[in-house]
Amino acid sequence: MSFGQGGPEWGPGNGGGPTPDWAALADESARRHSRRRRRVLVGAGALATVAVAGIVAVAVAGGGDDSGDDASSSLPSPEKPSEGPGQPEPSFKEDRPPAPPQDFLNDPRKDTAPLTEKTLFPDEIAAVDGRRYARVSTDASPECAPGAIGGLRPVLAANDCQRFLRATYVRQGLAFTLGVGVFDSKADAAAVKSGYQPNVASLPGGNVKDFCRSVTCRTTVNSLGRYAFFTIAGHTDGKPAGDADEPAKQAALDGSAYGYERILQRGKDQSAADAAR
């Protein structure tokens, strides 16, 4: 067998088998290439989408700041409390109960409110249990002797009486004079009460002439704090008021009750003023 130049030849009539369909092979190769190209393009598109999403995520997380700093560094710092002048502390007034009125009535260092016939006997009408007495006269003296007669004068002097105040009130033909002696201490006033001898001198005024000067009258004595007080009561027409004279007796007791009320009120007023300071 001889071979021509260029190697063996394949052609019609040769004994090497059927001839390949070159056109079909070329079409199949083109189709495979086209499918591979489409897969590459789809994959590249997906990668591009992922890349874009990543860029957007970074941009959102970074707040659009190209500096690359942590996003938290761009948040505002919390405000610090002002260091200006301190706020004033709330203040509360201390509440304290009023002192007992007797604390003032017992002690001349505390019992300093004005004491005159106007402050001690301010009422034109003295009302006691519905009985109303009209004031007709008042008197105040730095000496105690003029306000007393009989055995009361030496008792007042023995206990160093400082002042003496009187007022007379009338009702339905009856009159009483209330006399108040002022002393240095509660003990002095109590000693006057226990050593009492009649009488306080009646004080005339208005249409009331001298009464209870030469006839029997009803009397009382009491003390409160450094004050001792006395009453004498009887008829304005000069009629005697004996032991059985209940109206005169009641007038004397009413005068004593009014005196107690006025002295106690003096203590209450000073106690209230002290608590209000």
Side-chain angles (χ1 to χ4, degrees):
M1 176 181 297
S2 62
F3 295 91
Q5 192 176 14
E9 294 183 1
W10 302 90
N14 292 340
T19 301
D21 187 349
W22 299 108
L25 291 175
D27 291 341
E28 180 63 25
S29 177
R31 283 195 296 271
R32 285 197 301 270
H33 177 74
S34 177
R35 284 197 297 269
R36 283 196 302 270
R37 186 172 182 274
R38 282 198 297 271
R39 283 197 296 269
V40 170
L41 290 176
V42 170
L47 290 175
T49 300
V50 172
V52 170
I55 293 172
V56 172
V58 171
V60 171
D65 188 352
D66 294 334
S67 64
D69 292 340
D70 189 347
S72 62
S73 64
S74 64
L75 296 176
S77 301
E79 295 185 3
K80 295 182 179 180
S82 173
E83 297 182 358
Q87 296 299 319
E89 293 292 333
S91 61
F92 301 95
K93 182 181 178 181
E94 179 183 357
D95 292 329
R96 55 191 177 96
Q102 286 81 355
D103 284 3
F104 297 87
L105 300 177
N106 294 346
D107 189 348
R109 294 170 298 180
K110 295 182 178 181
D111 185 18
T112 57
L115 179 60
T116 67
E117 66 271 30
K118 291 183 179 180
T119 61
L120 192 58
F121 312 120
D123 304 314
E124 292 186 0
I125 299 296
V128 182
D129 292 336
R131 293 177 291 275
R132 296 166 61 85
Y133 297 82
R135 188 185 65 197
V136 295
S137 60
T138 60
D139 176 69
S141 173
E143 298 180 359
C144 298
I149 58 176
L152 183 57
R153 282 187 178 180
V155 174
L156 296 177
N159 290 281
D160 197 20
C161 179
Q162 301 295 311
R163 302 184 65 186
F164 207 83
L165 302 94
R166 290 181 293 167
T168 295
Y169 294 82
V170 298
R171 173 181 181 266
Q172 298 178 355
L174 293 167
F176 70 79
T177 291
L178 167 63
V180 179
V182 185
F183 300 85
D184 282 336
S185 68
K186 176 181 177 180
D188 288 340
V192 170
K193 176 182 175 180
S194 63
Y196 171 73
Q197 297 291 326
N199 285 325
V200 60
S202 62
L203 179 68
N207 295 327
V208 179
K209 307 303 180 181
D210 289 344
F211 67 101
C212 293
R213 291 297 179 96
S214 59
V215 297
T216 303
C217 285
R218 312 318 304 165
T219 67
T220 66
V221 61
N222 205 346
S223 67
L224 178 61
R226 65 191 191 104
Y227 299 85
F229 51 102
F230 321 88
T231 62
I232 187 167
H235 297 276
T236 58
D237 62 2
K239 176 184 174 181
D243 291 342
D245 193 331
E246 294 300 326
K249 188 183 296 184
Q250 186 64 64
L253 292 173
D254 287 348
S256 183
Y258 180 67
Y260 184 93
E261 175 192 332
R262 290 304 312 145
I263 297 169
L264 181 61
Q265 188 62 49
R266 174 178 173 83
K268 290 180 178 178
D269 291 343
Q270 293 183 95
S271 174
D274 177 71
R277 286 200 291 265

